[in-house]
Amino acid sequence: MAILRVREAELSKRLVKSTATVGLNTLASRVLGFVRDVVIARYFGASLGTDAFFVAFKIPNFLRRLFAEGAFSQAFVPVLAEYKTQRSHDEVRDLVGSVSGSLGVVLFGVTVLGVLAAPVLILIFAPGFPADGPQRALAVEMLRVTFPYLLFISLTALAGGVLNTFGRFGVPAFTPVFLNLSLIGAAVWLAPLMDKPITALAWGVLIAGLTQLLFQLPFLVRLRVLSIPKPRFQDPGVRRILRLMLPAIFGVSVTQINLLIDTLIASFLATGSISWLYYSDRLVEFPLGIFGIAMATVILPHLSREHASENPTAFSDSIDWALRWVLLIGVPASLGLAVLAGPLLATLFQYEAFSGDDVVMAARSLMAYSVGLCGFILIKVLAPGYYSRQDMRTPVRIGVIAMLGNITLNLMLVWSLAHAGLALATSLAAFINAGLLYRGLRKEAVYRPRSGWGVLFLRSMIAGGVMAAVLWWGTGGIEEWLAAGVLERAVRLCLWLIVAVLVYFGSLALLGVRPAHLRAASSVR
């Protein structure tokens, strides 16, 4: 028993360390992402041009998450982990070369079609843009520049999947920093040189895609897995990945589809609605990226190895470990975003072209998105429980139900809550998705919760409630934040964030939460 506990502690430490590595590198990217959004808000505000750019950027970005970081990664990593566990290094290298060549050919064709079909894509994703107006023409122009980003970033995701499988989590997590640096540089230095300044951002996206790919290649060379890409669609490994990928395309990316549905409907609402949703979504993406995506990045290859090694107890315990962390981190993050929505947006974005009214409107959608933060994170953690076992069909069925629920909720809530109703519908749909994923894992006995969940849930909710009450009492109304100067806002926000952390974790400690409550799986490799 003592040896077992030592192994649990060792594995828990390893998983926490890997998650922290991804989280810290993601933190650097997210901080620069906020700087990027502050720069864009300051120079361009929430206007016709920014709405057009966000649509032109969202389309290839959506496809990236759908194909590259979504379905492809979820199909590729389990197969690669199996090859790494059961086959020779040469076979692993051959698989990487075959997959990269096959993926490159497909992506090149999709990119050409995307550039040619840009007017049709804008019509589909933003039908509310006037047919003969400047906004639609500008969006089409920028989409033709941003769409090739899909080719480069998808190959970057392939490289990142290889690195993650080999335990090199830091490099892929740091790579998005280059997107933020590129967009900041484009807004500050390239925009003044352009006839249409906003189009500089589109070129920044394209430059970023190529830069991110080139950054990861040397690390693949060090692992000795980089080979000349060769399209081999008949390769058994490639065929397996394709079979797994096709159903996963939908199931893994329901959240992104829901966000695009929001954009489509928002194009019919007041000018600025798309931008308000974008900026509020960006704030939700901060904790989701630092913690939720970091957790998912680490747990997928880990679960894939446990499945390949036929260790169901460790598999279940690893999911349990991840869910405990979701509870302890997701609850305060969700409550904090809801209570601090106005102060956060005012501090980060309310400068020059981004007005106080924009802050108020974006705060409404941020509070609505914060409701679903735990749901978004749970999807990231629960879905690998299926993909690591190469079960892609179940998430597809669940995804269809969640998407239909989102559409129904959109139509119900948009009339009374406008853009905030779209955000709330997406949040509620995330919980539908997560709940069904959880039920499926329990029904198949793939996940068996360990003891202590009831007490841990009660303690985390009490601690989160205390934190939220302190923030609500102390931060004041939005008018105070809008009237304050830049330095005063920043100092006050930082102080209240520190207070929130101290109150929450202090409350947990007083309630008796200890590291033993977060101990991980029962075996270690």
Side-chain angles (χ1 to χ4, degrees), residues 63 128 324 341 445:
L63 293 174
R324 289 172 187 259

Side-chain angles (χ1 to χ4, degrees), residues 310-330:
E310 299 182 354
N311 194 341
T313 301
F315 189 97
S316 173
D317 287 347
S318 294
I319 296 177
D320 191 87
W321 169 85
L323 291 177
R324 289 172 187 259
W325 278 104
V326 171
L327 175 66
L328 288 182
I329 302 299

Side-chain angles (χ1 to χ4, degrees), residues 128-477:
F129 288 176
D132 298 322
Q135 191 174 32
R136 178 174 293 186
L138 184 60
V140 169
E141 178 183 348
M142 288 192 286
L143 180 58
R144 284 178 168 149
V145 177
T146 61
F147 204 93
Y149 171 77
L150 174 64
L151 169 64
F152 298 121
I153 203 61
S154 297
L155 293 174
T156 301
L158 184 151
V162 175
L163 293 169
N164 287 335
T165 303
F166 278 81
R168 307 299 195 271
F169 296 104
V171 173
F174 182 80
T175 300
V177 164
F178 295 103
L179 171 63
N180 299 320
L181 290 175
S182 181
L183 285 173
I184 291 169
V188 175
W189 292 297
L190 183 59
L193 305 177
M194 308 290 287
D195 292 334
K196 301 174 183 176
I198 192 69
T199 60
L201 297 179
W203 287 103
V205 170
L206 179 60
I207 294 169
L210 179 59
T211 303
Q212 291 177 93
L213 175 60
L214 295 177
F215 172 70
Q216 291 195 359
L217 293 182
F219 298 95
L220 294 180
V221 173
R222 293 181 188 178
L223 292 175
R224 298 184 298 110
V225 294
L226 188 65
S227 62
I228 298 175
K230 296 179 181 179
R232 294 173 178 167
F233 292 98
Q234 297 304 314
D235 180 89
V238 173
R239 295 178 66 181
R240 281 181 59 196
I241 292 169
L242 288 174
R243 283 198 305 269
L244 294 171
M245 185 177 171
L246 289 176
I249 286 175
F250 194 88
V252 78
S253 301
V254 168
T255 298
Q256 299 307 314
I257 293 172
N258 289 341
L259 290 173
L260 274 179
I261 292 172
D262 292 351
T263 301
L264 185 151
I265 298 176
S267 69
F268 291 97
L269 302 178
T271 298
S273 294
I274 294 175
S275 298
W276 298 328
L277 286 168
Y278 171 82
Y279 288 117
S280 54
D281 176 57
R282 287 290 297 159
L283 283 170
V284 172
E285 287 282 342
F286 190 76
L288 179 59
I290 293 175
F291 176 69
I293 296 176
M295 181 72 72
T297 299
V298 171
I299 201 171
L300 175 61
H302 177 76
L303 291 176
S304 299
R305 287 194 299 270
E306 296 295 354
H307 179 67
S309 301
E310 299 182 354
N311 194 341
T313 301
F315 189 97
S316 173
D317 287 347
S318 294
I319 296 177
D320 191 87
W321 169 85
L323 291 177
R324 289 172 187 259
W325 278 104
V326 171
L327 175 66
L328 288 182
I329 302 299
V331 167
S334 178
L335 293 171
L337 280 175
V339 177
L340 294 175
L344 282 166
L345 287 159
T347 302
L348 293 171
F349 301 126
Q350 202 255 311
Y351 306 104
E352 296 185 9
F354 201 87
S355 68
D357 288 338
D358 291 325
V359 170
V360 172
M361 299 302 285
R364 295 177 184 175
S365 49
L366 176 55
M367 287 187 285
Y369 276 138
S370 69
V371 171
L373 177 60
C374 286
F376 299 142
I377 298 175
L378 283 170
I379 293 170
K380 298 293 184 183
V381 171
L382 293 170
Y386 295 89
Y387 301 129
S388 59
R389 296 182 295 119
Q390 302 181 25
D391 175 8
M392 304 298 178
R393 294 184 178 181
T394 302
V396 169
R397 292 196 299 269
I398 293 172
V400 170
I401 295 170
M403 191 183 74
L404 293 175
N406 180 66
I407 294 172
T408 302
L409 290 167
N410 272 334
L411 297 176
M412 292 171 58
L413 298 173
V414 70
W415 302 104
S416 57
L417 299 176
H419 68 289
L422 302 178
L424 182 58
T426 299
S427 293
L428 297 176
F431 277 108
I432 294 173
N433 195 341
L436 293 174
L437 288 171
Y438 175 83
R439 189 181 71 171
L441 292 175
R442 294 281 285 120
K443 185 176 180 180
E444 297 176 28
V446 173
Y447 168 54
R448 298 174 297 279
R450 303 179 75 182
S451 62
W453 263 102
V455 173
L456 186 64
F457 178 81
L458 181 62
R459 290 169 176 173
S460 66
M461 295 304 294
I462 292 173
V466 172
M467 180 205 72
V470 170
L471 290 177
W472 180 81
W473 172 79
T475 53

